[in-house]
């Protein structure tokens, strides 16, 4: 708010729940999660994705934005500025891009067994 970035909310820690998401969807059909670029941010994003899958429908768009490694939203806006933060949204991944990208890092999709495993997990 101090940097005139509106329509945002923050959870305490990484506690995003399906209830939070349902409340947000009363106001918008497009949610962009923004996470720190470190391993903890990736883990928090995965937990948010799991919650999002429980409420997902055709009218909802959920994206995942990951900041550079040493940044959090506050530090990014303070060092790079409001417009840089808003522009960074173009780097956000769709829910399906994040889901499949995360799963394919752990599975060899060059084999039939790997493709079958990916399908089963997804």
């Amino acid at each position: 708010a101090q940097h005139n970035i509106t329509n945002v909310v923050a959870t305490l820690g990484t506690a995003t729940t399906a209830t939070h998401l349902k409340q947000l969807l009363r106001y918008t059909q497009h949610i962009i999660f923004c996470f720190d670029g470190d391993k903890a941010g990736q883990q928090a994003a995965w937990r948010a994705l799991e919650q999002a899958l429980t409420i997902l429908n055709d009218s909802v768009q959920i994206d995942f934005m990951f900041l550079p490694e040493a940044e959090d939203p506050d530090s990014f806006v303070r060092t790079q500025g409001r417009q840089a933060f808003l522009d960074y949204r173009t780097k956000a991944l769709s829910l399906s891009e994040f889901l499949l990208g995360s799963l394919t890092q752990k599975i060899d999709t060059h084999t039939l067994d790997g493709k079958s495993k990916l399908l089963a997990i997804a």
Side-chain angles (χ1 to χ4, degrees), residues 74-111:
D74 180 60
S75 67
F76 189 93
V77 172
R78 289 180 189 276
T79 60
Q80 304 296 319
R82 174 187 183 273
Q83 194 57 51
F85 182 81
L86 295 175
D87 292 345
Y88 204 81
R89 292 178 301 179
T90 63
K91 296 183 180 195
L93 303 173
S94 69
L95 184 142
S96 58
E97 288 173 318
F98 176 53
L99 172 66
L100 292 174
S102 296
L103 293 178
T104 57
Q105 287 179 4
K106 303 170 188 173
I107 298 170
D108 179 6
T109 58
H110 295 95
T111 67

Side-chain angles (χ1 to χ4, degrees), residues 49-63:
L49 178 138
E50 290 175 325
Q51 294 301 309
L53 289 174
T54 68
I55 55 92
L56 202 57
N57 63 53
D58 289 342
S59 64
V60 175
Q61 180 180 345
I62 297 179
D63 296 327

Side-chain angles (χ1 to χ4, degrees), residues 6 9 11 13 17 20 41 46 68 71 77 79 97 100 112 115 122:
T6 58
V9 296
T11 58
T17 67
H20 292 137
W46 187 258
E71 300 281 1
V77 172
T79 60
E97 288 173 318
L100 292 174
L112 286 177
K115 290 175 184 177

Side-chain angles (χ1 to χ4, degrees), residues 15-54:
T16 302
T17 67
T19 301
H20 292 137
L21 296 174
K22 288 176 187 175
Q23 289 175 333
L24 288 172
L25 291 172
R26 293 177 22 203
Y27 302 99
T28 184
Q29 295 299 297
H30 185 196
I31 297 171
I32 303 173
F33 286 107
C34 178
F35 295 99
D36 300 1
D38 58 12
K39 185 175 180 174
Q42 290 283 332
Q43 292 170 340
W46 187 258
R47 287 190 296 273
L49 178 138
E50 290 175 325
Q51 294 301 309
L53 289 174
T54 68

